[in-house]
């Protein structure tokens, strides 16, 4: 079956660093996406990984290990506006996006 | 450049009724995907439309149907509504979705459907 696991909720402090993990099992693999979703809003694209390694984009970085079926999203210099849900999604062999349930990130002052 | 638009924003229906949700893709995009997102969950893929045909379908009953028009806009229809159909319905557009691994999907603001 196809499955994506993420922690349900995480808490971090403003200015700190947080790592959100994602493990996946899908039929085929055509890349992994991270999206941010604020409450009541649509998901917005953060990053895409298809090859192993780290992709850095400003305060956000995403890492992929295909052999381990593992990815993480790293958020640095946390700001209050980073409080949101972070969704991990993989594109399977049919190019269909399979989504995790999301990780709710709570930032405290 | 307008992004993905959806209408209506909110909708309240009663069990057994039918509903139609609408989506206009981002300019230049030809593929529209529909998702259902229950509270606290990730989006669940309903189906995808390309060239006015349903190209892929997720694990949703036939009560869920759709359409894509020549201008690439799309509709999602749900018949015989159940309480469990209450959710945020998201439309996402993209182009050349299956021609390369990387194709970002752009999401609309969603339609919040409440079934009483």
């Amino acid at each position: 079956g196809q499955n994506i696991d993420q922690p349900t909720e995480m808490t971090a402090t403003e200015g700190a660093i947080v790592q959100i993990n994602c493990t996946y099992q899908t039929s085929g693999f055509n890349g992994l996406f991270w999206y941010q979703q604020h409450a009541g809003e649509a998901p917005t694209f953060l990053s895409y990984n298809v090859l192993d390694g780290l992709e850095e984009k400003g305060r956000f970085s995403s890492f992929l290990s295909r052999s381990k079926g593992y990815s993480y999203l790293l958020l640095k210099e946390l700001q209050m506006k980073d409080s949101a849900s972070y969704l991990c999604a993989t594109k399977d062999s049919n190019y269909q996006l399979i989504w995790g349930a999301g990780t709710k990130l709570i930032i405290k002052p | 450049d307008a992004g993905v638009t959806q209408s209506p924003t909110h909708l309240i229906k009663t069990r057994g009724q039918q509903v139609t949700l609408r989506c206009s893709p981002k300019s230049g995009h030809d593929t529209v995907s529909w998702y259902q997102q229950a509270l606290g969950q990730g989006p669940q893929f309903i189906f995808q439309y390309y060239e006015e045909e349903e190209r892929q379908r997720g694990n949703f009953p036939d009560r869920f149907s759709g359409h894509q028009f020549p201008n690439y806009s799309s509709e999602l229809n749900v018949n015989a509504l159940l309480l469990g159909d209450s959710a945020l319905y998201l439309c996402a557009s993209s182009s050349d979705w299956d021609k390369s691994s990387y194709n970002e999907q752009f999401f609309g603001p969603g339609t919040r459907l409440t079934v009483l």
Side-chain angles (χ1 to χ4, degrees), chain B residues 12-59:
Chain B
I12 299 175
K13 292 285 188 179
T14 56
R15 280 179 297 175
Q17 285 190 309
Q18 178 265 343
V19 68
T20 297
L21 311 182
R22 296 176 176 83
C23 170
S24 290
K26 184 177 169 63
S27 177
H29 285 181
D30 56 12
T31 302
V32 173
S33 303
W34 286 94
Y35 294 89
Q36 180 194 66
Q37 187 177 25
L39 204 60
Q41 299 296 316
Q44 297 292 314
F45 175 70
I46 303 174
F47 41 55
Q48 183 181 83
Y49 276 85
Y50 173 70
E51 292 189 342
E52 302 179 52
E53 291 192 358
E54 183 183 289
R55 180 160 65 178
Q56 286 188 43
R57 188 179 184 92
N59 189 25

Side-chain angles (χ1 to χ4, degrees), chain B residues 55-109:
Chain B
R55 180 160 65 178
Q56 286 188 43
R57 188 179 184 92
N59 189 25
F60 277 80
D62 292 344
R63 298 187 297 109
F64 289 77
S65 63
H67 190 77
Q68 185 178 36
F69 300 94
N71 65 353
Y72 307 118
S73 67
S74 177
E75 288 182 349
L76 164 65
N77 301 292
V78 186
N79 294 323
L81 284 167
L82 303 174
L83 295 179
D85 295 332
S86 295
L88 180 67
Y89 288 84
L90 295 164
C91 166
S93 75
S94 56
S95 64
D96 299 326
W97 181 244
D98 61 350
K99 291 185 174 63
S100 79
S101 294
Y102 173 67
N103 284 98
E104 178 187 341
Q105 284 193 336
F106 290 80
F107 284 84

